[in-house]
Amino acid sequence: MKLANLDGRATIVVDGGGIDVATATGGRFGPDLPAVYDDWTGFRAVADALGSGTVAPIEEHELGPPSPRPVQVFGIGINYKAHAEETGADLPARPATFTKFPTCLTGPFAEVALPEGMVDWEVELVVVIGRRAERVAEDDAWNHVAGLTIGQDLSERGLQFAAGAQFSLGKSHPGFGPTGPWLVTPDELDDPNDLALGCAIDGETVQDARTSDMVFDVPRLIAELSSVLSLLPGDVIFTGTPSGVGISRQPPRFLQPGQELESWIEGIGRMRTRLVAP
Ligand code: ZN
C-alpha cells in the first residue's frame, strides 16, 4: 500500500489517483495523518480492502510530508561505507545519531529557500514508525515500521560544523527535510534492505547507490535507537546518505537558487525540490 498526505488528508495511492481514507472508512481513520499512525495496526487491517473507493486525481503540489508532525525526527551520520570513505571518517561502532527538528519537514515538490551559507544535498531512505518500539530485536524491527519514503537531509555545512558540531541546527532550516512523495509499506518492496537511491541537480546525477551499502541497516537502527529511547508512531528516521555529497568534492560544491534537486528511490518514486533565493 502507498499512503500519501494530500492537502493534509490521509490518501491511499492507487492507479489513476488517490482514495480519501476518512471518506472510505466512514470517518474511522483519518483524515489527519498522525491519527492514522497512532492506530496503524487497525488501519492496515482495513486499508487493503479500500482499493475500490472513489479515486480522485493527485496533483503534485498538493502532496505534503507523509508524516507531517512526528514527535521525533532522527538523522544518522556516516551510515554508508562509501560515504565514510569520502569524508575520511572511520566506520562507527554505533549509529551516529542527531535530530532534525520537525519544523524542517516539507513536501516532496516544495520550494525551499536557501539560507546564507553552504547548503548541501543528502538523499536518504526515510523510515516512518507504525508501532511504538522499545527494546525491539532486529528480527522484529520491520513489524514496527509503517513504511518507507524518500528524504533529503539538506544541510548547511557552515552551521553544521560551527562550535564543534551543530548537526541538529545546521540541518533544520525551514524546508530542510523534504519527504515523500508517499509512504510505501515494506511488503510492496522485493527487498526493503536493498534499494537503489540517488539524486540529480538539474538532471546531473550526483548520488547513485544502494541501501545495501549501509553500515547499520534499518532493523539494526531500530534496535539500536529503541534500546535507548521509545520510538513512537509517526516518528521519522533519516537513515543516512550515500557518497556523492557536495562538501566532499574537489572543489566543494553547494546548491544554488534556481536549481532543481530530483531524488529517487527504487520502488518508492521520485520527488523534486525547487531551490530559491532567501
Ligand atoms: Zn544525512
Side-chain angles (χ1 to χ4, degrees):
M1 185 196 57
K2 296 184 172 74
L3 181 70
N5 171 355
L6 195 63
D7 258 344
R9 297 181 69 90
T11 302
I12 295 175
V13 180
V14 295
D15 287 343
I19 297 169
D20 185 74
V21 168
T23 306
T25 63
R28 186 171 160 211
F29 297 99
D32 212 20
L33 274 295
V36 173
Y37 294 119
D38 280 343
D39 187 10
W40 185 252
T41 305
F43 173 66
R44 281 309 306 272
V46 303
D48 292 329
L50 300 177
S52 56
T54 308
V55 178
I58 291 177
E59 303 287 344
E60 286 182 346
H61 70 268
E62 295 177 321
L63 288 166
S67 182
R69 293 190 303 283
V71 173
Q72 305 177 104
V73 179
F74 301 91
I76 307 296
I78 312 294
N79 198 29
Y80 280 76
K81 292 166 197 142
H83 179 55
E85 256 167 54
E86 74 175 350
T87 60
D90 293 330
L91 288 188
R94 299 189 66 181
T97 308
F98 55 89
T99 188
K100 283 173 82 72
F101 294 104
T103 50
C104 78
L105 293 177
T106 192
F109 299 98
E111 277 191 353
V112 175
L114 294 173
E116 293 290 310
M118 302 170 281
V119 181
D120 206 344
W121 57 88
E122 294 193 354
V123 67
E124 306 200 3
L125 178 69
V126 165
V127 175
V128 177
I129 296 296
R131 278 174 54 212
R132 188 182 180 102
E134 289 169 343
R135 301 184 172 280
V136 167
E138 285 181 54
D139 284 356
D140 185 33
W142 279 113
N143 295 324
H144 292 262
V145 173
L148 301 172
T149 191
I150 310 169
Q152 267 288 343
D153 176 19
L154 295 177
S155 307
E156 198 284 287
R157 300 302 190 192
L159 184 54
Q160 179 182 345
F161 294 110
Q166 302 231 47
F167 278 51
S168 299
L169 275 185
K171 291 167 172 273
S172 292
H173 284 276
F176 269 27
T179 54
W182 35 63
L183 184 94
V184 176
T185 54
D187 57 282
E188 295 260 327
L189 302 162
D190 290 338
D191 181 355
N193 293 308
D194 182 22
L195 303 169
L197 80 169
C199 68
I201 300 168
D202 289 339
E204 178 197 348
T205 298
V206 288
Q207 291 189 283
D208 183 12
R210 301 195 69 86
T211 59
S212 49
D213 186 47
M214 281 184 183
V215 180
F216 305 102
D217 62 11
V218 169
R220 179 77 186 278
L221 289 177
I222 289 172
E224 292 274 354
L225 289 170
S226 76
S227 75
V228 177
L229 46 79
S230 301
L231 294 172
L232 305 177
D235 277 359
V236 166
I237 306 170
F238 283 73
T239 59
T241 200
S243 64
V245 297
I247 198 173
S248 296
R249 291 168 184 260
Q250 292 301 334
R253 185 173 156 187
F254 300 105
L255 293 167
Q256 304 298 329
Q259 290 179 332
E260 184 179 81
L261 179 61
E262 184 171 32
S263 312
W264 60 84
I265 299 182
E266 175 184 12
I268 299 176
R270 288 176 177 267
M271 58 176 199
R272 284 191 309 277
T273 304
R274 186 104 209 131
L275 304 160
V276 299

